[in-house]
Structure formats: C-alpha cells, structure tokens
Amino acid sequence: MDIPETIVPVTDEKILYKNSTYDVVSKIAYLIGVPKRIFENDYEPPKMEVFEQLEKDKNARIIRHLCILRTAIERGYKQINEKMKFEFKTILTIPECIPMDSVNQLSDDGISFVKRSSTKPKHHVIEINRIISDRINNCKDIFPLWINWQYIRELFIMPNGLTEAGTKEAAVLYYSNLSVYPYQVYINWQPRDAGNILYNDKKFASLLYAWHGDYFAEQSKVSDVGNYIKGSIYDYINSSNKVVVVVDCENSDPYKLCATFKNLDSAYTQKITSIILFDDIHTVEAWKTLEQFTQIPVEHMMVERVKQNKSLVDIKLTARACQEHYRNYVDSFIIVSSDSDYWGLISSMPDARFLVMIEREKCGPDMKNALVESEIFYCYIDDFYSGNAEDIKQIALFRQLNQHLNEALHLNVNIMLDEALQTTRIHMDAAERKQFYEKHIRPMKLVINEDGDVGIELKR
C-alpha cells in the first residue's frame, strides 16, 4: 500500500476533521486490539459503547484477542524466544509476556493457536496469522456497506505471514516504526507519521482509501453537521407553538432526510406534530418506509397527475400548508425541498414562520439569497451524518426486489405438479406424490447465469 506524499499537518486536524464520527475507528480499534483503557478514556477517539457492543460478538472477540496476542509476541519476541529456548518454557507459561486473559477468552470461544510443532515464537505468529486470515471475513458485517471491506481486511493480514520470512519482515518493519503504529499495536500498513490514524472516521477513511490510490468521497457517511446547525433547528422548534414538516418528495432525497431526522435529538423532534409527504406516483419507493425510522407521525399524500408531463405536487403542498396554518393554527413550518417555487408560499404567509431544508446541488443561488435576505434559516440535509441510513436503503431495496420477484415468479407448484402428471399420464398415489414433492420440488432453487438471467432448477 503506497502512502500519499502529502499528509495533512496535525495542527490543522481539528479544522479539517471537524464534526467527524467515531464509529468506524472504534470498531477498528477494538478488532486490532487497542487496550480497553483507551476506550474508557473520554479524551481518546474509540468509544466505549462500541467496545461493549463488539464484546458480545464472538467473531469480533476472536479477531481482537488474536491481534492482541500477535502484538504481544511481536513486542516481546526476544524475551519470549530466550525463555522458550533456554528455559524450555512454552508460550502458555510466560504470563509476564503473554496476556493470559486473551488466551483464556480464545479458549472459551473454541480457538487454540498453540500447536505441538510450534517451538519458536514465530511459529505461533504464523498460526495466529492463519486463523485471522480464515476468520476475518466473519467480521465483514460489522462494517457498513459504504466502506470498502477489502481495504479494511488488509489491515489484519500480515504480508506473506504464513512463512517465517514474512513474519520476520513484518517484525522488522514494526519494530523500526513502533511509535507511528496506532496505539503501538500491529496492523498491516506502510508506516508513516500521519498522527493518530484512528483520530476519527473522516481521517481514517480518507487515509485508508489514499493508501490504495483511491479517494473517499462519501464525506456525509463519516461526519455530521455542527452544533450551530442543530442548535438553530432546536431553537426554531422550541420557539414554535405548532410545527409541521412538509416534504416535496419530487425534489428531496428520502435517505438524506431520514438521516437528518435520525441525527436530531428526539427530545426536540417529538414536538413536531407531523411530517406530510407530498408524493408523485413517479417518485421512489423509499418514502413509503420513512415512518419506520422516525417517531413523528407521517402522512403520505399521493398526488395524481392530470397531465402526465405536469406534476401537481407543488400546488397540493402549498394548498395544504395554507390549510394547516389558517385552519389548524400551525405557526411554524419546516419545508423540505430545493425548489424555488415555494418562495411564493413563504412570501404569501407573512404570519407563519419557516425553516427550509435543501440539498446543496439542487438549490440555486437565487433561492438561497432570497432566504438570507428574509432572515429565514436554511440548512443542507446533505451535511447530516448519513452513515446510519443504510437500513432504510436496504428496506426500500428489498421491497422493490420482492415486488419484481412476485411479479416475475407467480407460480403455484401444486398446480404445476398436477398439470405435469396429467400431461405425462403418470399416476401417483398420495404418499408417492408427497414423497416426490418433498424430494424434488420443495428443494428447487433459483439459478442465475452470467448475464443476470434467472431460471428455476428442480433437484434431481
């Protein structure tokens, strides 16, 4: 892995990585074996809640304690080697060098790295490397889909680590650069002084991708908006008597909006009366699942088209907002849309208060200037942490896939078998039919060719 030539000065990190998250680096820190006391220190990046979460995961525990033992052997290699060579000690009888808590935990989880043929420390390192290589993929689901798993996986795989030459080369690299390894624990990388690479998610993801000649572009996945933005939204809600959110589904991203509300304090958002979605039949499936991810009541208004090329969403939204204001006494609105058409709504209700949530690339400068001149607060939903919106994406995706499958595979296997028996003029009694059904039809499976075409294959 090649390290980029330019590394950001540590003094600039607080500015560059402002408002970053710590979820990914906490998981990495746990798995590579960073000491628990680091998680317990409020001033260090790794978070104790992540430690406690992963402690319950057997796959994660196994990798953590294997990494702890590998680091311990590398750090105390000379002393361990002498004790094994001259005092005839085994790796399990040197508690001053080997963390027995990790040995015992691995034993409890059914893992042993000790082999009778292992007469030198490097033999134990090779066996640990083998087990890590075999098991690291069991931890893939710990990380979100948006981060490249192969890049993460490489951090745990010692190059040529199943040979004595590979372990020696890794040890030399580790010893000569010990001070720049994260918390001085072993990982597979080309070491260079880049400060604490586990400083936060934004820094870690940026460096991880750069080491592979890649660029990490999903900044909203590793950072959240600042306290000023959230504080302004909370102040707006608190100073309102009744708040309603109106959403133009044609001009908003459901995943970004979901992430926005998931990252706002429920103590404030529970004061919002409702979220009203104004949806067109041509917009995405995900809006139907939004209600599952917020405690705010959601009303979904499907707007039909009189002409296929003309949407009526903006008219319906404007009319409903007026109704909420004049009939239901809603004094404050949060408008979610990047469409400048809603300036007419805002300017026509001088007694109402507005906060506008927009998307950075969809809203032009004229709309933003008009909001600023009218002292109406707006914010970008792109800037809210979106790393936790994967669940709504998966639910929407699975709903759509299931819909396609139900339409494409509308098949009753009982009718199919009856028709096949009739066509072939084969007679089966009830017992024979049931046996055939259980053996050949129930285990049938989908087969997919290289072009993505799907077929059904009976078990023979």
Side-chain angles (χ1 to χ4, degrees), residues 55-333:
E55 273 288 274
K56 301 172 185 177
D57 187 317
K58 179 179 176 180
N59 292 320
R61 282 199 311 269
I62 289 172
I63 293 299
R64 171 175 172 79
H65 290 288
L66 287 170
C67 287
I68 288 174
L69 288 169
R70 181 167 63 180
T71 294
I73 296 172
E74 297 288 5
R75 291 287 297 274
Y77 192 92
K78 182 178 180 181
Q79 184 180 2
I80 295 170
N81 189 52
E82 288 178 352
K83 287 181 178 293
M84 292 181 70
K85 185 175 181 180
F86 299 112
E87 299 179 28
F88 304 105
K89 296 275 190 176
T90 69
I91 199 77
L92 300 180
T93 58
I94 319 175
E96 63 272 28
C97 300
I98 299 298
M100 297 308 295
D101 287 347
S102 290
V103 174
N104 294 334
Q105 183 60 65
L106 285 171
S107 178
D108 290 344
D109 286 330
I111 300 296
S112 173
F113 67 97
V114 180
K115 299 175 69 175
R116 289 185 180 180
S117 59
S118 298
T119 58
K120 297 178 180 180
K122 56 190 172 185
H123 296 157
H124 294 300
V125 173
I126 289 173
E127 181 62 12
I128 289 172
N129 287 339
R130 184 191 66 77
I131 301 172
I132 290 176
S133 179
D134 288 345
R135 288 182 167 271
I136 186 61
N137 281 340
N138 294 339
C139 294
K140 182 177 181 179
D141 289 343
I142 290 173
F143 294 92
L145 292 174
W146 47 260
I147 195 162
N148 190 314
W149 166 249
Q150 291 304 318
Y151 294 172
I152 290 178
R153 184 182 185 277
E154 284 186 20
L155 296 174
F156 297 86
I157 306 299
M158 182 180 289
N160 202 20
L162 301 184
T163 67
E164 293 188 12
T167 61
K168 182 178 180 180
E169 186 177 344
V172 170
L173 186 66
Y174 176 60
Y175 269 114
S176 58
N177 297 277
L178 184 61
S179 63
V180 299
Y181 278 77
Y183 300 100
Q184 298 189 352
V185 300
Y186 175 81
I187 60 171
N188 170 32
W189 71 318
Q190 291 297 322
R192 181 168 179 173
D193 188 4
N196 182 2
I197 65 171
L198 301 181
Y199 183 67
N200 55 39
D201 291 348
K202 188 182 291 187
K203 177 177 181 178
F204 174 73
S206 299
L207 288 174
L208 181 68
Y209 276 59
W211 297 338
H212 292 81
D214 200 351
Y215 175 74
F216 183 75
E218 300 283 350
Q219 294 299 308
S220 70
K221 300 288 197 304
V222 291
S223 62
D224 199 3
V225 294
N227 292 331
Y228 171 74
I229 299 295
K230 287 187 177 180
S232 298
I233 295 172
Y234 298 152
D235 289 343
Y236 177 81
I237 294 173
N238 267 344
S239 60
S240 303
N241 292 321
K242 197 172 183 181
V243 184
V244 166
V245 180
V246 289
V247 183
D248 175 3
C249 296
E250 285 186 310
N251 291 291
S252 301
D253 187 306
Y255 311 111
K256 292 178 181 178
L257 184 61
C258 179
T260 297
F261 280 103
K262 288 184 74 171
N263 285 286
L264 292 174
D265 192 334
S266 60
Y268 295 95
T269 57
Q270 68 181 1
K271 297 181 67 176
I272 296 174
T273 304
S274 65
I275 299 174
I276 308 175
L277 305 175
F278 293 86
D279 204 353
D280 183 87
I281 58 173
H282 297 290
T283 54
V284 296
E285 179 78 13
W287 290 112
K288 298 176 183 178
T289 62
L290 179 64
E291 193 168 9
Q292 296 177 232
F293 297 92
T294 178
Q295 297 178 348
I296 307 169
V298 176
E299 182 180 349
H300 203 152
M301 303 285 295
M302 292 300 296
V303 180
E304 297 181 359
R305 292 189 173 210
V306 177
K307 291 185 177 181
Q308 286 303 307
N309 62 346
K310 176 61 179 175
S311 170
L312 300 177
V313 164
D314 52 350
I315 297 173
K316 290 284 188 178
L317 188 152
T318 300
R320 179 61 182 273
C322 291
Q323 178 183 337
E324 292 292 329
H325 179 57
Y326 292 110
R327 181 182 298 178
N328 298 329
Y329 307 108
V330 173
D331 64 315
S332 301
F333 293 89

